[in-house]
């Protein structure tokens, strides 16, 4: 949380000259195509969500920029699970306050590739479930406290800058399982033992 608060302050203090170094500060938003990947899942169905927030792009040279962001992002998936004691279908919606920290490399004056990492804190959770046994009714049992409060992972994407408008396509690859360990049917296991996987299409508008 201290890292997120620090980066939020960075975004709120655009102490740079955009005319001098082509830096940008503004708003961004778009759509997510999210999934959860796991060895226990026999089928995965992506679901759509939205994301939006603030970005700060600081030009270090003509070719390299540093770009932190603060965004609200909707992730999750519909999972068909099957293991040695239960089968069923679950729909998870996991919403985060996410801070990507990126290095941006300009291939031309308009197009770039970017990559880095993200750290996120869980904002809210919605779970729906249909299982083969009524005792596995985790829709009523699971809540925000059953999920990891933080998530982190890698980020890679491509983008284009056109005057004050930028567009891009980005992929978030989660490195931490979203569920905590839980005892179900006499067995202790992490559920869902899955990690976030999200494709993002975004548009940003520079206001400074």
């Amino acid at each position: 949380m201290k890292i997120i608060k620090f980066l939020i302050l960075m975004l709120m203090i655009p102490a740079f000259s955009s005319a001098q170094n082509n830096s940008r500060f503004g708003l961004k938003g778009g759509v997510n195509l999210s999934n959860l990947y796991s060895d226990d899942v026999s089928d995965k169905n992506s679901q759509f969500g939205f994301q939006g927030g603030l970005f700060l792009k600081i030009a270090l040279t003509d070719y390299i920029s540093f770009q932190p962001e603060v965004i609200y992002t909707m992730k999750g998936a519909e999972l068909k699970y099957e293991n040695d004691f239960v089968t069923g279908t679950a729909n998870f919606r996991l919403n985060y306050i996410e801070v990507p920290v990126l290095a941006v490399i300009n291939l031309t004056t308009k197009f770039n590739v970017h990559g880095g990492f993200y750290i996120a804190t869980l904002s809210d959770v919605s779970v729906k479930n249909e299982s083969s046994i009524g005792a596995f009714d985790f829709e009523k049992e699971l809540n925000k406290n059953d999920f990891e409060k933080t998530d982190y992972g890698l980020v890679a994407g491509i983008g284009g800058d056109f005057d004050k408008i930028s567009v891009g396509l980005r992929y978030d690859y989660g490195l931490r399982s979203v569920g905590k360990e839980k005892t179900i049917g006499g067995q202790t296991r992490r559920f869902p033992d899955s990690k976030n996987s999200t494709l993002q299409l975004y548009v940003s508008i520079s206001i400074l």
Side-chain angles (χ1 to χ4, degrees), residues 23-36:
S23 296
R24 294 170 178 242
F25 173 77
L27 309 173
K28 63 168 298 188
V31 295
N32 293 345
L33 185 63
S34 65
N35 224 322
L36 293 169

Side-chain angles (χ1 to χ4, degrees), residues 15-190:
F16 59 89
S17 170
S18 59
Q20 185 177 17
N21 60 18
N22 295 320
S23 296
R24 294 170 178 242
F25 173 77
L27 309 173
K28 63 168 298 188
V31 295
N32 293 345
L33 185 63
S34 65
N35 224 322
L36 293 169
Y37 65 94
S38 169
D39 293 337
D40 288 341
V41 176
S42 59
D43 186 29
K44 313 172 200 177
N45 293 314
S46 300
Q47 64 184 15
F48 284 98
F50 298 95
Q51 41 103 358
L54 303 172
F55 76 94
L56 172 62
K57 184 177 182 180
I58 303 172
L60 304 177
T61 71
D62 289 339
Y63 303 101
I64 300 175
S65 299
F66 169 67
Q67 183 169 316
E69 302 175 356
V70 176
I71 59 175
Y72 180 82
T73 183
M74 303 169 65
K75 299 186 177 183
E78 180 181 277
L79 307 181
K80 293 183 179 180
Y81 52 89
E82 182 176 1
N83 52 51
D84 52 1
F85 69 95
V86 68
T87 61
T89 301
N91 184 281
F92 295 88
R93 286 199 173 273
L94 309 174
N95 302 326
Y96 294 88
I97 307 262
E98 181 173 295
V99 178
V101 179
L102 309 169
V104 182
I105 300 175
N106 298 319
L107 301 178
T108 70
T109 57
K110 294 186 180 297
F111 296 99
N112 68 73
V113 294
H114 53 269
F117 68 92
Y118 75 84
I119 184 169
T121 182
L122 187 63
S123 174
D124 55 272
V125 172
S126 174
V127 179
K128 295 183 179 180
N129 172 62
E130 294 181 2
S131 69
S132 58
I133 57 175
F136 196 59
D137 188 10
F138 60 78
E139 179 179 354
K140 296 179 181 178
E141 297 177 2
L142 287 184
N143 54 49
K144 184 178 177 181
N145 293 328
D146 296 298
F147 294 83
E148 296 290 354
K149 294 181 180 179
T150 59
D151 184 35
Y152 53 84
L154 304 177
V155 183
I158 57 174
D161 299 323
F162 308 96
D163 295 326
K164 291 185 176 295
I165 304 295
S166 298
V167 297
L169 185 67
R170 181 182 298 174
Y171 178 63
D172 280 9
Y173 181 79
L175 297 176
R176 186 181 197 184
S177 293
V178 299
K180 292 181 179 179
E181 286 191 346
K182 188 175 179 66
T183 300
I184 302 174
Q187 297 187 28
T188 299
R189 58 186 296 129
R190 188 180 294 273

